[in-house]
């Protein structure tokens, strides 16, 4: 299982556990831990609470349906291999290796070596032009920071400079007084 999917499932489980605890504290209906997804109703007597429970059941059903759809969409496709007695078997390890691996989202594809024609063309361009083309290609691959990351880093640098300046200023003042006292 891919790490990103595993982390997402862990985060989802943690979030559901927090929601369950919050619902228990507030006295609202709580989802059962069983796989049925039914709601345990804690002391419901009024029609309003019953409507709330129905709405929660519908929301849970919609959420489960969306999760199933997402799992189906992200599940790897395997081709069934027919077996002589009419059943379909799981593809063999060799067959699975032959299938091209689908790259995970967010991971860049490995850099491929240029074809011979591209390398020959690069030699004819000249060193400076080739260098500038490579610089431009590297700049396109850079992951630029977001505005919030830049703001945070700038704040850290400014605060550190103020602290270092105050520290050095205090020592300068003390040694200045000490030297004047001796002279």
């Amino acid at each position: 299982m891919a790490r990103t999917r595993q982390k997402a499932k862990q985060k989802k489980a943690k979030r559901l556990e927090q929601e369950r605890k919050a619902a228990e504290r507030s006295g609202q209906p709580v989802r059962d831990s069983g796989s049925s997804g039914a709601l345990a109703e804690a002391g419901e007597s009024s029609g309003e609470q019953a409507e709330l429970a129905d709405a929660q059941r519908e929301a849970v059903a919609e959420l489960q349906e969306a999760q199933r759809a997402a799992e189906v969409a992200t599940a790897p496709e395997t081709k069934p291999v027919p077996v002589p007695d009419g059943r379909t078997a799981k593809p063999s390890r060799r067959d699975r290796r032959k299938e091209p691996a689908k790259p995970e989202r967010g991971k860049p594809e490995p850099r491929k070596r240029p074809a011979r024609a591209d390398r020959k063309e690069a030699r004819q361009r000249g060193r400076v032009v080739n260098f500038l083309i490579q610089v431009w290609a590297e700049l396109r691959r850079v992951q630029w920071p977001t505005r919030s990351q830049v703001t945070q880093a700038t704040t850290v640098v400014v605060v550190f400079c103020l602290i270092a300046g105050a520290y050095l200023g205090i020592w300068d003042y003390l040694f200045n007084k000490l030297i004047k006292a001796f002279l």
Side-chain angles (χ1 to χ4, degrees):
M1 178 180 292
R3 281 187 181 165
T4 53
R5 276 191 260 153
Q6 188 176 13
K7 285 182 181 180
K9 285 184 179 183
Q10 289 172 350
K11 286 180 182 179
K12 179 182 156 192
K14 187 176 181 180
R15 181 179 45 85
L16 290 174
E17 181 65 24
Q18 289 174 346
E19 289 175 359
R20 185 185 62 79
K21 287 180 181 179
E24 283 177 356
R25 278 188 242 123
S26 65
Q28 292 179 352
V30 180
R31 271 189 249 165
D32 274 345
S33 60
S35 62
S36 65
L39 297 173
E41 299 173 7
E44 289 187 17
S45 60
S46 69
E48 188 175 302
Q49 289 179 342
E51 290 175 14
L52 178 64
D54 289 339
Q56 286 179 343
R57 279 190 204 105
E58 290 174 10
V60 168
E62 289 175 7
L63 178 64
Q64 289 174 345
E65 185 178 329
Q67 289 171 347
R68 279 190 220 111
E71 287 175 3
V72 168
T74 59
E77 295 179 19
T78 57
K79 298 175 183 175
V81 177
V83 178
D85 60 352
R87 296 178 295 136
T88 56
K90 194 167 105 175
S92 68
R93 203 178 259 184
R94 182 179 290 167
D95 292 337
R96 287 192 305 252
R97 284 186 189 154
K98 288 180 185 177
E99 293 177 9
K102 294 181 182 179
E104 294 182 23
R105 281 188 241 155
K107 290 188 177 180
E109 292 185 13
R111 186 175 174 194
K112 295 180 182 175
R113 189 172 181 182
R116 287 183 182 251
D118 293 340
R119 283 185 273 160
K120 189 175 182 182
E121 183 181 315
R123 279 190 226 130
Q124 292 174 350
R125 280 193 289 239
R127 289 183 176 181
V128 174
V129 174
N130 193 27
F131 172 75
L132 293 174
I133 290 171
Q134 290 175 353
V135 166
W136 185 255
E138 285 294 324
L139 284 174
R140 283 188 287 159
R141 285 197 296 252
V142 170
Q143 284 187 337
W144 297 102
T146 63
R147 182 179 287 274
S148 62
Q149 289 171 334
V150 170
T151 304
Q152 184 181 12
T154 304
T155 304
V156 167
V157 169
V158 168
V159 167
F160 180 77
C161 288
L162 290 174
I163 290 171
Y167 178 77
L168 293 174
I170 290 170
W171 282 109
D172 181 51
Y173 177 76
L174 292 175
F175 280 116
N176 191 12
K177 290 289 184 184
L178 185 67
I179 297 295
K180 283 186 179 181
F182 281 128
L183 295 177

